[in-house]
Amino acid sequence: MRIVVANVNTTESITEAIRGQAEKAARPGTEILAVTPSFGAPSVEGNFESYLAAVAVMDRVTAVTEPFDAVVLAGFGEHGKEGLAELFDVPVVDITEAAAHLACLLGRRYSVVTSLRRTTGQIHDRLRLAGLDSHCASVRATGMPVLDLEGDLERTGARLVEEAEHAVESDGAEVICLGCAGMAGLAEHVQDRAGVPVVDGVPAAIGLAQTLVEQGLSTSKAGSWASPLPKDITGWPIGG
C-alpha cells in the first residue's frame, strides 16, 4: 500500500516532520510518499493562503507518477479535500476530520489547540462542514506562528499544555486535538501533562486511510464528489 501525504505549505522541514509521524503510524507494507507543493506560502495561516494551498496541493498530487492507494491532506482546517476527492478514485483523508472523528470515539467533547487565533474560524468552518462541530468544546490558539512551532519545541510544548489545560478545565474538553501539522510529535508530551487523550491528526489520518484501503472502501462517486466534468481547463496542470 502506498499513501501520498501532502503538506499544504512549501516548507520542506515541515514535510519531513509530517513524513516522520506518518511513517511511525504506517503498518508493515505501507509506504509513505510525502510531497511538498511546488508553489504557495511557507506557512498557511489565513484564507488567502489556504485557497492557494488547495490549488497547489491538487497540482502536486496530480503530478505524482507512482500508483498510490490513498491521499492524506496534512493541513489543519485547510481547503482542498473536496477537490482531491473529485480528482481521485482512492480515499482522501483530511487530518482535521480524522483527528475529530477519533476524538469523538474517546470522549464526549473535544477541543482543538492550534497556532494563531486568525485560523480558528477556518477550523470551526471545516468541522461544521464535516458535521463534527457539535462535539467541539472550543478551538484555542497558542499565539505561535506555524514556522515558530518547530523552532522552539520547549516553548511550543509549554503553550500547547497551557491551552490544553484551559480547554479541559474551562471548556469541558475531554480530548484534545493538535490543530496544526507543524505540531507533529508533541501529542505524548501534551497528553502526559494535560491528563486527557491527545490526538495528532497525521497519524490519525494515516490509520484511517489504511483501514479504508484494507476494507476496499473509497470515496463515493454517486453525487457530490463525482469526477470533474470533462472540460478544457486553461493553464492546468500548473506544474506541467
Side-chain angles (χ1 to χ4, degrees):
M1 182 191 310
R2 179 181 289 124
I3 300 176
V4 173
V5 182
N7 183 10
V8 299
N9 63 51
T10 59
T11 302
E12 289 287 353
S13 61
I14 293 180
T15 302
E16 289 307 307
I18 291 169
R19 183 202 308 275
Q21 290 304 302
E23 289 179 342
K24 287 181 182 178
R27 295 195 273 272
T30 297
E31 177 187 352
I32 300 299
L33 178 59
V35 299
T36 307
S38 60
F39 63 91
S43 60
V44 180
E45 296 165 311
N47 288 289
F48 165 68
E49 294 164 353
S50 180
Y51 282 106
L52 182 63
V55 178
V57 167
M58 287 187 285
D59 180 69
R60 181 64 185 88
V61 178
T62 56
V64 173
T65 57
E66 302 96 326
F68 54 88
D69 302 287
V71 177
V72 165
L73 180 59
F76 214 92
E78 318 304 347
H79 301 275
K81 184 269 180 83
E82 290 76 22
L84 287 167
E86 288 187 9
L87 284 171
F88 300 102
D89 294 323
V90 300
V92 177
V93 182
D94 166 71
I95 66 169
T96 316
E97 297 175 15
H101 275 299
L102 290 194
C104 288
L105 299 175
L106 301 172
R108 186 173 180 273
R109 302 273 281 169
Y110 68 89
S111 286
V112 177
V113 181
T114 189
S115 53
L116 297 180
R117 183 179 178 184
R118 63 175 295 160
T119 67
T120 60
Q122 290 174 264
I123 293 173
H124 277 297
D125 289 347
R126 182 80 238 169
L127 294 171
R128 187 176 301 112
L129 181 64
L132 294 162
D133 58 313
S134 64
H135 291 277
C136 182
S138 61
V139 179
R140 287 180 165 269
T142 62
M144 296 182 67
V146 171
L147 296 182
D148 288 353
L149 294 175
E150 63 176 351
D152 188 347
L153 289 178
E154 184 175 345
R155 181 181 173 223
T156 299
R159 287 293 295 124
L160 283 172
V161 170
E162 183 179 354
E163 292 303 326
E165 290 176 339
H166 285 318
V168 173
E169 295 166 6
S170 302
D171 306 334
E174 299 170 2
V175 183
I176 298 296
C177 296
L178 299 185
C180 177
M183 297 172 177
L186 290 170
E188 185 176 350
H189 171 80
V190 180
Q191 182 168 291
D192 288 345
R193 287 154 182 79
V196 297
V198 176
V199 182
D200 184 336
V202 173
I206 294 296
L208 287 175
Q210 290 177 120
T211 298
L212 290 171
V213 173
E214 289 167 353
Q215 295 195 20
L217 297 171
S218 190
T219 305
S220 172
K221 296 296 180 179
S224 301
W225 294 337
S227 298
L229 297 173
K231 299 177 184 178
D232 291 328
I233 307 297
T234 303
W236 182 269
I238 296 171

